[in-house]
Amino acid sequence: KQEVTQIPAALSVPEGENLVLNCSFTDSAIYNLQWFRQDPGKGLTSLLLIQSSQREQTSGRLNASLDKSSGRSTLYIAASQPGDSATYLCAVRTNSGGSNYKLTFGKGTLLTVNP
Amino acid sequence: DTAVSQTPKYLVTQMGNDKSIKCEQNLGHDTMYWYKQDSKKFLKIMFSYNNKELIINETVPNRFSPKSPDKAHLNLHINSLELGDSAVYFCASSRSVYTQYFGPGTRLTVL
């Protein structure tokens, strides 16, 4: 059974700092990994998706890396801004039988960027 | 343009009632999902439909019944609501195994 862990559970940083969020998963047989952002009372917004054959993906100030063999992914946020404050969720997609796949989520990291 | 929409946004009801939550996506995706986010913010998949066919059914009580009238809609019907059903329910859609897009959520409160 796939389990996804995110560390730390909460992180508070001053504006402008670079930061790293960590995600680990127990079953390395993943199809891909997706990072999401969730604002309070809102739905999830997809940030980056990394295929299992890829090592990293970049979008603006965000960079996600994947080390499938060790079951780890990191989300790097450069030059953090107060608007980055949100909960960041990591999810891995694994085969659930036949050609069906499902996402398993971590519990998220609550990020607060202080002005 | 709303990609994945859910109605209602808030639902407050008494124990024992039956309620439905509707979901629609206009992205042309072939796969739709229902997730439950509990009070500790843990998000867990409940159901997945691909081209109107149920493909994932996680150990969810049979009081929960998804219905997909067409590829763009996946509704969730809940019978005999219990206190423990209180949560935020998210609908999502994707094209096969690619990026999932989430709706804004429906906050269900059972009194």
Side-chain angles (χ1 to χ4, degrees), chain B residues 33-66:
Chain B
Y33 313 82
W34 276 109
Y35 288 87
K36 179 180 180 180
Q37 189 171 45
D38 61 25
S39 57
K40 296 182 180 178
K41 308 296 184 187
F42 189 43
L43 197 66
K44 189 172 181 183
I45 189 166
M46 300 173 67
F47 301 101
S48 175
Y49 268 72
N50 178 267
N51 288 318
K52 296 171 49 181
E53 182 182 341
L54 179 67
I55 57 172
I56 292 175
N57 182 348
E58 294 290 295
T59 51
V60 177
N62 58 15
R63 297 182 295 104
F64 290 78
S65 53

Side-chain angles (χ1 to χ4, degrees), chain B:
Chain B
D1 289 342
T2 303
V4 182
S5 59
Q6 296 178 228
T7 53
K9 189 170 173 65
Y10 299 97
L11 186 53
V12 181
T13 188
Q14 300 286 334
M15 256 192 336
N17 284 348
D18 303 337
K19 290 294 178 184
S20 292
I21 307 172
K22 295 185 177 181
C23 177
E24 177 180 3
Q25 55 95 3
N26 62 6
L27 297 168
H29 289 163
D30 56 2
T31 307
M32 296 185 72
Y33 313 82
W34 276 109
Y35 288 87
K36 179 180 180 180
Q37 189 171 45
D38 61 25
S39 57
K40 296 182 180 178
K41 308 296 184 187
F42 189 43
L43 197 66
K44 189 172 181 183
I45 189 166
M46 300 173 67
F47 301 101
S48 175
Y49 268 72
N50 178 267
N51 288 318
K52 296 171 49 181
E53 182 182 341
L54 179 67
I55 57 172
I56 292 175
N57 182 348
E58 294 290 295
T59 51
V60 177
N62 58 15
R63 297 182 295 104
F64 290 78
S65 53
K67 286 185 173 54
S68 182
D70 55 56
K71 287 198 313 183
H73 296 83
L74 181 62
N75 304 322
L76 183 65
H77 189 76
I78 315 170
N79 289 328
S80 304
L81 278 156
E82 300 178 358
L83 293 176
D85 297 332
S86 295
V88 180
Y89 292 84
F90 287 99
C91 176
S93 73
S94 70
R95 180 172 65 86
S96 186
V97 297
Y98 300 103
T99 301
Q100 286 191 20
Y101 294 84
F102 280 71
T106 295
R107 182 174 294 276
L108 171 65
T109 303
V110 182
L111 303 174

Side-chain angles (χ1 to χ4, degrees), chain A residues 58-96:
Chain A
T58 299
S59 176
R61 294 183 293 109
L62 305 180
N63 177 279
S65 70
L66 174 63
D67 184 342
K68 184 181 161 185
S69 60
S70 68
R72 295 174 189 272
S73 175
T74 61
L75 180 67
Y76 174 82
I77 303 177
S80 58
Q81 302 171 357
D84 295 331
S85 298
T87 297
Y88 290 80
L89 294 159
C90 169
V92 296
R93 184 175 275 103
T94 50
N95 187 273
S96 59

